[in-house]
Amino acid sequence: MKISVFGLGYVGAVSAGCLARDGHRVIGVDPVPAKVALINDGRTPIIEKDLDVVIERTVREGRLTATGRAEEAIGDSELSLVCVGTPSRGNGGLDLSYVRRVCEEIGVALREKTERHTVVVRSTMLPGSMRDTVIPTLEEHSGKRAGADFGVCINPEFLREGSAVFDFYHPPKTVIGEIDRASGETVAALYSGIEAPLIRTDVETAEMVKYTDNAWHALKVGFANEIGNICKELGIDGHKVMQIFCRDTKLNLSPYYLKPGFAFGGSCLPKDVRALCYKAKSLDLDLPILNAILPSNERQIERGLRMIMEKGSKRVGVLGFSFKAGTDDLRESPVVEVIERLIGKGYELRLYDRNVRLAGLVGANRDYILNRIPHLSRLMVGSVDEVVDFADTVVIGNGEPEFRAVPSRMRDGQALIDFVRIVEGATRGGYDGICW
């Protein structure tokens, strides 16, 4: 394939060199003459392991060249990768000026081109950037329509500085956000020889994936550092602790818990986070990540409460109020907290949870209901139907399987608020998911 790569920094230079190494004919484009000269002389414009060898060889074999002229590159390629920087503005916002400028140049060049061309953005951009900036700019300056007259995709990169060449050939995943099928097929062909999960999705999801990855990586670094700081003050080897922590790939390093939904609760997580933060405070440690966990959880409870109140009805039914499905544990259940606040605001409620039946409860849970929340027992009913028949707003509080049929049993005019995504893709009128 004939490919042009706009921007010869870390992402662009690595992408250009590796694609040329794979047998494609690549033209690098950069406004900095020194970078263009280095490439054409067979030298790398950046310091990156193995890239010097890749560029020297591909230039010598005639598969990689560079230019400062966009129209030349577009005229001699069928696909363009946009790899320019997206730095921060002074206020923390994203600066898309380089992306916009390159899209203007590409658009002007496309105006005179008769063959179909595909524009692929590898630059990291916030959701909405493709729809609001890239596509309108390309269309304005080309006089053509995206998806019809030319293709557009976003293909976020997952390259680490220092191992970028290795990462190009061994990515954790390949993500293609496409506005039309043909464009996605063209981009997917670039990675046909790479063994990695290939995910084709909409452009907004692809844009957000990159930010989710980076925020998670940053959070992991900060989390490990805060645990390490506590360990140091207690005379514990923090590396040993985290090595053992990372051995757990069932819960710790896994998709478990990483699903948007309602707040956490139960007898373990709240009290243990609270105790750890108290211990850190007693050691005069300032740990903003750990200290933010419980306040963040409280914000999700407030979000759920606000969603219910915004529906405008005082008749509310709650299905499932133990802290998670398959248990009768009500201790620090976030759904119970929502119920308490609704009662305090004068709402009429009916509650159902097959696992929370007063007659069958013993020990701590029975004591908790009778002595801490006795008023809830008077609101409990014996079936899902009693809740659905009573309420104008129905809340699904946990993921009990029997609640999956609830959306189909709702009547017109009823609101359904889902804290757990009980049904994938529920789109009936009145349905509202807390994080989707």
Side-chain angles (χ1 to χ4, degrees):
M1 191 180 298
K2 293 181 178 181
I3 302 168
S4 51
V5 177
F6 285 77
L8 295 174
Y10 271 93
V11 175
V14 171
S15 298
C18 291
L19 288 168
R21 181 186 187 185
D22 289 343
H24 300 285
R25 186 162 172 264
V26 181
I27 305 174
V29 187
D30 201 284
V32 179
K35 289 185 179 181
V36 173
L38 283 168
I39 291 287
N40 287 329
D41 197 35
R43 293 184 291 163
T44 175
I46 62 169
I47 302 301
E48 181 61 43
K49 185 177 183 295
D50 299 328
L51 187 60
D52 55 345
V53 176
V54 170
I55 288 180
E56 188 279 329
R57 177 183 173 184
T58 54
V59 169
R60 174 167 40 85
E61 294 176 351
R63 293 195 303 275
L64 176 61
T65 59
T67 180
R69 300 176 63 238
E71 63 274 17
E72 174 188 339
I74 294 295
D76 200 24
S77 63
E78 55 198 294
L79 180 145
S80 297
L81 299 182
V82 176
C83 303
V84 298
T86 53
S88 294
R89 296 184 184 275
N91 62 2
L94 196 65
D95 184 355
L96 292 178
S97 59
Y98 299 117
V99 171
R100 187 179 293 105
R101 187 179 309 154
V102 164
C103 288
E104 290 173 357
E105 294 176 352
I106 293 174
V108 170
L110 288 179
R111 184 180 288 274
E112 305 303 321
K113 189 170 184 178
T114 56
E115 301 89 354
R116 182 179 171 87
H117 196 92
T118 302
V119 181
V120 184
V121 180
R122 301 213 81 193
S123 303
T124 301
M125 303 187 306
L126 287 167
S129 300
M130 290 290 289
R131 302 278 185 191
D132 298 339
T133 299
V134 171
I135 292 174
T137 304
L138 289 169
E139 290 183 331
E140 177 187 353
H141 288 83
S142 69
K144 298 179 178 181
R145 289 186 303 119
D149 303 318
F150 62 90
V152 178
C153 288
I154 183 165
N155 173 219
E157 48 80 20
F158 304 100
L159 308 176
R160 297 166 296 174
E161 293 186 20
S163 60
V165 173
F166 177 87
D167 290 344
F168 184 92
Y169 293 107
H170 305 88
K173 55 187 176 287
T174 299
V175 179
I176 301 170
E178 59 193 44
I179 65 168
D180 66 281
R181 192 75 185 165
S183 300
E185 294 288 351
T186 300
V187 180
L190 291 179
Y191 305 107
S192 59
I194 291 178
E195 293 187 10
L198 176 65
I199 300 123
R200 293 171 63 176
T201 185
D202 59 274
V203 295
E204 289 81 8
T205 298
E207 288 170 319
M208 189 62 193
V209 162
K210 175 65 174 180
Y211 280 91
T212 304
D213 279 29
N214 284 354
W216 178 238
H217 299 159
L219 179 60
K220 287 193 292 185
V221 172
F223 174 79
N225 288 341
E226 291 195 358
I227 293 296
N229 291 341
I230 295 174
C231 289
K232 180 176 175 63
E233 293 301 316
L234 296 174
I236 300 169
D237 185 342
H239 275 251
K240 186 182 294 184
V241 169
M242 293 307 294
Q243 285 168 3
I244 296 171
F245 170 87
C246 291
R247 292 284 297 274
D248 179 355
T249 57
K250 182 180 290 186
L251 299 178
N252 291 348
L253 304 183
S254 76
Y256 209 83
Y257 299 121
L258 287 173
K259 291 187 174 77
F262 199 43
F264 62 76
S267 60
C268 297
L269 299 188
K271 81 173 182 65
D272 291 347
V273 172
R274 199 176 292 123
L276 190 61
C277 290
Y278 180 84
K279 184 63 177 179
K281 186 177 180 180
S282 73
L283 296 169
D284 289 328
L285 291 173
D286 181 19
L287 306 178
I289 292 176
L290 291 176
N291 286 331
I293 293 173
L294 291 176
S296 175
N297 203 50
E298 171 64 23
R299 298 298 181 275
Q300 198 70 346
I301 293 174
E302 292 170 356
R303 180 183 178 89
L305 179 64
R306 187 168 62 250
M307 289 175 65
I308 296 168
M309 295 173 61
E310 287 174 351
K311 297 303 178 185
S313 172
K314 289 286 188 176
R315 293 167 65 89
V316 175
V318 179
L319 298 172
F321 55 97
S322 59
F323 89 95
K324 70 175 181 179
T327 179
D328 60 358
D329 197 347
L330 298 175
R331 289 171 293 177
E332 299 213 46
S333 166
V335 184
V336 169
E337 180 64 27
V338 168
I339 292 168
E340 292 273 40
R341 296 188 194 186
L342 290 171
I343 292 172
K345 294 178 181 297
Y347 281 72
E348 297 179 68
L349 288 104
R350 296 293 184 273
L351 318 175
Y352 170 76
D353 192 316
R354 65 190 302 270
N355 295 307
V356 184
R357 289 177 177 156
L358 191 58
L361 291 175
V362 296
N365 275 334
R366 184 177 178 85
D367 176 72
Y368 186 84
I369 289 184
L370 293 179
N371 297 308
R372 298 283 300 277
I373 50 174
H375 43 293
L376 261 65
S377 64
R378 297 192 294 270
L379 304 174
M380 293 167 60
V381 296
S383 70
V384 171
D385 286 339
E386 289 178 78
V387 171
V388 174
D389 291 343
F390 164 81
D392 296 320
T393 300
V394 176
V395 179
I396 297 180
N398 67 35
E400 277 296 328
E402 66 177 317
F403 301 152
R404 291 174 187 160
V406 169
S408 64
R409 293 156 68 174
M410 301 284 287
R411 61 182 181 269
D412 290 343
Q414 273 185 308
L416 178 61
I417 296 175
D418 186 357
F419 285 170
V420 294
R421 203 176 180 107
I422 194 70
V423 178
E424 286 286 333
T427 56
R428 62 170 294 281
Y431 177 88
D432 200 358
I434 190 167
C435 289
W436 50 88

